[in-house]
Amino acid sequence: MSNQYQKIVIGAGPAGLFTAIFAKQKGEKIFLIEKNNCIGKKLAITGKGRCNVTNNTPDLKELVARYKKNGKFLYHAFSEFSVEDTLKFFSNLGIETKVERGNRIFPESDDAYELIEKMYALVKDDILFNCDVQEILKDGNHIEGVKTNKGKFTADKYIIATGGKSYPLTGSNGDGYELASSLGHTIITPKPALVPIETKEPWVRELAGLGLKNIRMDIYQNGKKQLSKFGELLFTHTGISGPIVIDCSREIGNLLEKDFVKVLIDLKPALSYPTLKDRINKDLSEAGNRAIKNSLSQLLPSSLIPVAIKLSKIDPEEKASQLSKESKNSLLHTLKELTLTITEIGDWNNAIVTDGGVDIKEIDPNTMQSKIVNNLYFAGEIIDVYGPTGGYNLQLCWSTGYLAGIS
Ligand SMILES: Cc1cc2nc3c(=O)[nH]c(=O)nc-3n(C[C@H](O)[C@H](O)[C@H](O)COP(=O)(O)OP(=O)(O)OC[C@H]3O[C@@H](n4cnc5c(N)ncnc54)[C@H](O)[C@@H]3O)c2cc1C
């Protein structure tokens, strides 16, 4: 007896939507199951609502190398459905894009809902909302149906595109791992990735909201430098965030599992110690009788001045030109080695993606088909692969979703 549907896709996030759209384009009868009452709940909040669709990295090898984990697994998916294909797909839907700093690509409209609405139009007749897949029914190494709160549904093939565990309020609460595991798949322990970092020092609160560009951040454990990053950092009420922090947060989390971790921030990486020393001397002597608290505006953003003065143990009322050699030296070191102690990394509620998921060894990278269950496929964040911020995580959803759709 043939099934009513050729494919059942579980999850209407970016990966599930692409699977459904491309399977349908091939002429297949599809059924998209989503437990929320709308599609793309997480997609709607990507890029702060602007949706960083992809990254303008046309070279395949370079693109694969950007992924933090298991990038090679994506080689075939990207060669079948590239960054260019992504842009063409959205352009055909009437969504034009623009390239911003760091090759990040956004819709011209700066509105993630534009993508959601256009994709919804393509699958609206094939979706069942508020439908939660609770169990996948297997007969030997073949799936014969899915059990949901709305009854049992069957198809020839099944695609799990339920996302990871991050931002669980968007629907991706790790359900998919249990479903995959019940079918015999190995799940690499999921951990929050691309998260802000909490620090011990209370003075960060005074800097909350301050973003700094072109700074260097070195991560130390037991006196040894473990990582070094250059770029943009943001202070928060509880610690630090911003691209350079978020992108190495998982590595920091792994270090923290072993021992204490310190961050040294070089606020003036373009200036060597002697050059910065000369610069401080010059600025302070030009400031003459002004208090030190009113003399550093050429060197630092205003909110950082009182903090730098306090950390350098200088009296803020002291006259700039009369600052002792020791005080100047202390200021120099504060600016080159602003030190923070990491207490913890953010949790699932503020992780952008998941590190971990279905073991790539059990998925065929050419088709996204399970090597364990005949008629099962995976797409998107549920797979144990992730990239840095910058559009890489959505690109992996588009490409793996495409492959699962046409396979
Ligand atoms: C705040 C934030 C900002 C981000 N910004 C960007 C960005 O700008 N660029 C970028 O590249 N990446 C970004 N990401 C990452 C990106 O959003 C994810 O990588 C992507 O959404 C994963 O897509 P997915 O389809 O695999 O899973 P999801 O988007 O999580 O979708 C999975 C869907 O499956 C449904 N589902 C789960 N379990 C079941 C079940 N049992 N039954 C039925 N349905 C189920 C869920 O409700 C959900 O709708 C961001 C993430 C966050 C949290």
Side-chain angles (χ1 to χ4, degrees):
M1 193 183 77
S2 75
N3 276 305
Q4 187 190 354
Y5 303 109
Q6 271 132 349
K7 283 187 177 131
I8 282 183
V9 183
I10 310 169
L17 285 166
F18 257 48
T19 307
I21 289 167
F22 283 99
K24 202 175 163 186
Q25 242 179 44
K26 234 180 84 185
E28 289 186 335
K29 188 144 176 52
I30 54 130
F31 188 46
L32 185 49
I33 297 180
E34 170 55 56
K35 72 175 168 192
N36 289 328
N37 61 3
C38 59
I39 66 163
K41 214 166 169 185
K42 187 176 279 176
L43 185 59
I45 57 166
T46 54
K48 299 198 170 96
R50 295 173 61 222
C51 185
N52 181 187
V53 188
T54 184
N55 194 282
N56 195 21
T57 313
D59 182 72
L60 193 56
K61 275 194 187 145
E62 205 185 314
L63 180 65
V64 163
R66 296 278 167 86
Y67 284 79
K68 298 187 84 73
K69 195 177 171 189
N70 297 335
K72 280 190 188 144
F73 173 81
L74 297 169
Y75 199 93
H76 187 79
F78 290 157
S79 57
E80 288 290 311
F81 197 86
S82 62
V83 169
E84 207 183 332
D85 292 322
T86 303
L87 299 179
K88 212 180 290 163
F89 171 83
F90 286 115
S91 171
N92 286 340
L93 288 184
I95 301 170
E96 294 311 327
T97 49
K98 57 183 173 183
V99 183
E100 295 192 1
R101 185 179 44 80
N103 285 327
R104 289 158 197 252
I105 298 183
F106 291 86
E108 286 275 6
S109 62
D110 285 328
D111 188 0
Y113 278 105
E114 190 188 6
L115 278 75
I116 293 172
E117 278 163 19
K118 295 275 167 66
M119 285 195 281
Y120 179 60
L122 300 179
V123 292
K124 66 180 183 355
D125 299 329
D126 314 289
I127 298 193
L128 184 58
F129 287 121
N130 301 310
C131 183
D132 188 356
V133 173
Q134 294 155 342
E135 196 183 340
I136 301 185
L137 309 163
K138 191 172 81 151
D139 184 6
N141 64 352
H142 192 85
I143 296 175
E144 54 108 7
V146 291
K147 197 177 134 199
T148 76
N149 57 327
K150 297 203 168 180
K152 181 182 163 184
F153 300 99
T154 60
D156 298 333
K157 294 176 177 174
Y158 300 80
I159 294 90
I160 304 185
T162 46
K165 268 187 96 163
S166 62
Y167 272 68
L169 284 179
T170 61
S172 40
N173 60 353
D175 275 7
Y177 302 134
E178 276 171 43
L179 295 173
S181 163
S182 74
L183 298 169
H185 272 281
T186 310
I187 307 299
I188 307 298
T189 309
K191 293 179 179 177
L194 307 186
V195 278
I197 278 167
E198 309 217 342
T199 57
K200 194 174 90 182
E201 291 71 13
W203 52 260
V204 288
R205 247 174 276 136
E206 293 169 49
L207 301 178
L210 173 68
L212 298 172
K213 286 186 182 141
N214 303 324
I215 59 121
R216 204 178 68 225
M217 176 182 82
D218 293 331
I219 306 293
Y220 281 84
Q221 185 164 61
N222 298 325
K224 265 199 199 144
K225 197 197 282 185
Q226 307 285 338
L227 291 167
S228 190
K229 296 273 166 191
F230 181 86
E232 202 173 330
L233 177 145
L234 177 77
F235 286 96
T236 69
H237 283 97
T238 51
I240 48 174
S241 185
I244 60 170
V245 174
I246 284 179
D247 277 341
C248 65
S249 56
R250 190 58 257 155
E251 288 92 327
I252 293 175
N254 292 340
L255 288 169
L256 262 186
E257 285 173 15
K258 293 183 239 156
D259 213 335
F260 298 107
V261 181
K262 290 252 179 215
V263 182
L264 261 65
I265 298 169
D266 183 348
L267 296 165
K268 299 284 168 192
L271 305 180
S272 65
Y273 279 81
T275 313
L276 183 57
K277 189 176 167 189
D278 290 349
R279 171 77 196 272
I280 291 172
N281 280 331
K282 182 175 156 278
D283 282 15
L284 296 188
S285 64
E286 279 173 11
N289 278 340
R290 261 186 283 145
I292 178 79
K293 66 175 187 187
N294 299 323
S295 311
L296 296 172
S297 56
Q298 301 292 320
L299 213 50
L300 294 173
S302 56
S303 57
L304 199 50
I305 295 172
V307 174
I309 291 175
K310 195 168 18 168
L311 293 175
S312 307
K313 300 194 171 58
I314 298 171
D315 174 1
E317 303 300 335
E318 198 169 339
K319 282 183 186 158
S321 57
Q322 286 172 14
L323 217 62
S324 69
K325 208 172 154 190
E326 289 71 39
S327 294
K328 284 184 201 163
N329 207 28
S330 174
L331 182 61
L332 171 69
H333 283 274
T334 301
L335 301 193
K336 292 295 277 180
E337 302 150 28
L338 190 65
T339 305
L340 289 159
T341 317
I342 297 178
T343 50
E344 55 187 320
I345 67 162
D347 60 16
W348 290 116
N349 292 319
N350 48 31
I352 288 177
V353 288
T354 307
D355 172 18
V358 178
D359 192 344
I360 54 156
K361 287 196 220 83
E362 298 168 353
I363 304 172
D364 179 350
N366 296 315
T367 57
M368 296 297 134
Q369 185 175 12
S370 159
K371 292 181 183 170
I372 291 180
V373 182
N374 279 342
N375 55 344
L376 175 65
Y377 294 74
F378 294 98
E381 193 178 324
I382 184 154
I383 304 170
D384 179 25
V385 53
Y386 80 100
T389 55
Y392 299 100
N393 290 296
L394 281 176
Q395 183 59 49
L396 86 81
C397 294
W398 312 133
S399 298
T400 56
Y402 168 83
L403 263 194
I406 60 149
S407 292

